[in-house]
Amino acid sequence: MPSFDTVLEPNLVEVKNAIDQSNKEIGTRFDFKGSDARVEQKDKELTLFADSDFQLQQVTDILLAKMSKRSVDIRFLDTTAKPEKMSHDKLKQKVLVKAGIEGDVAKRIQKAIKDSKMKVQASIQGDTVRVTGAKRDDLQAAMALIRKEVDDVPLSFNNFRD
């Protein structure tokens, strides 16, 4: 039976490249001379370091610009964490790289497909949503529906089987 998986996975290689480019630009900019501003990555968690609120905002802007240039959707980044104070008035902020569809988004996808009365079924399998149907055209219509209904998350589709 034809099926595909709806997933939320960033390209981690491009994320790493964007971080490297951000750190390189921070190192060469005059307004960051002598500061401890940088971006570090541990798995899917980024940490932004800066000496002041203004510099932290500049580091965030640089990172977002580099992510956009590397074709990484900035909706993958969760920048809602508050900056933490460190010693000597330095700041750090955690930024999470989202991976895997959260439960409420998966339920929204499943509900949108069910409400559309299409001849496809959606099932939540961990952090992916598998959509199955009898015809390939129905699956392609389901992809278009999902893109339209859930536009606040950068979803992608893989594992398309005929």
Side-chain angles (χ1 to χ4, degrees):
M1 186 170 231
S3 67
F4 67 87
D5 291 337
T6 307
V7 295
L8 180 70
E9 351 179 279
N11 186 344
L12 293 176
V13 174
E14 292 299 330
V15 170
K16 176 77 171 130
N17 290 340
I19 291 168
D20 291 343
Q21 287 180 346
S22 298
N23 283 329
K24 191 173 184 180
E25 181 174 331
I26 290 168
T28 59
R29 280 185 42 171
F30 180 76
D31 53 343
F32 288 111
K33 285 281 189 237
S35 73
D36 193 30
R38 66 186 186 280
V39 180
E40 291 181 354
Q41 178 184 17
K42 288 184 184 164
D43 295 327
K44 292 180 179 146
E45 181 179 288
L46 310 180
T47 309
L48 311 178
F49 294 93
D51 293 341
S52 66
D53 285 331
F54 179 73
Q55 278 190 351
L56 189 63
Q57 185 59 45
Q58 291 294 311
V59 170
T60 305
D61 291 345
I62 292 169
L63 179 65
L64 294 179
K66 296 301 178 184
M67 291 278 190
S68 295
K69 256 187 192 168
R70 303 292 308 182
S71 299
V72 176
D73 197 325
I74 60 173
R75 294 179 293 178
F76 280 117
L77 301 180
D78 181 16
T79 58
T80 57
K82 298 275 187 216
E84 302 173 24
K85 292 259 186 206
M86 295 176 20
S87 62
H88 303 295
D89 295 331
K90 294 184 188 286
L91 296 169
K92 75 175 181 177
Q93 182 178 10
K94 301 265 189 224
V95 176
L96 296 175
V97 179
K98 297 178 192 172
I101 298 176
E102 296 172 354
D104 58 330
V105 176
K107 287 177 185 170
R108 277 181 30 213
I109 293 170
Q110 196 173 27
K111 184 178 183 323
I113 288 176
K114 196 172 201 172
D115 291 346
S116 71
K117 306 283 191 219
M118 297 173 74
K119 294 184 178 180
V120 294
Q121 294 83 33
S123 61
I124 300 170
Q125 297 182 343
D127 58 355
T128 65
V129 177
R130 174 153 298 160
V131 180
T132 58
K135 296 181 186 171
R136 172 182 236 167
D137 293 341
D138 292 339
L139 292 179
Q140 290 173 338
M143 284 181 186
L145 176 77
I146 291 169
R147 280 194 185 103
K148 182 180 163 211
E149 293 292 322
V150 186
D151 59 352
D152 58 336
V153 185
L155 297 173
S156 58
F157 307 102
N158 66 10
N159 210 10
F160 193 93
R161 300 226 169 111
D162 237 349

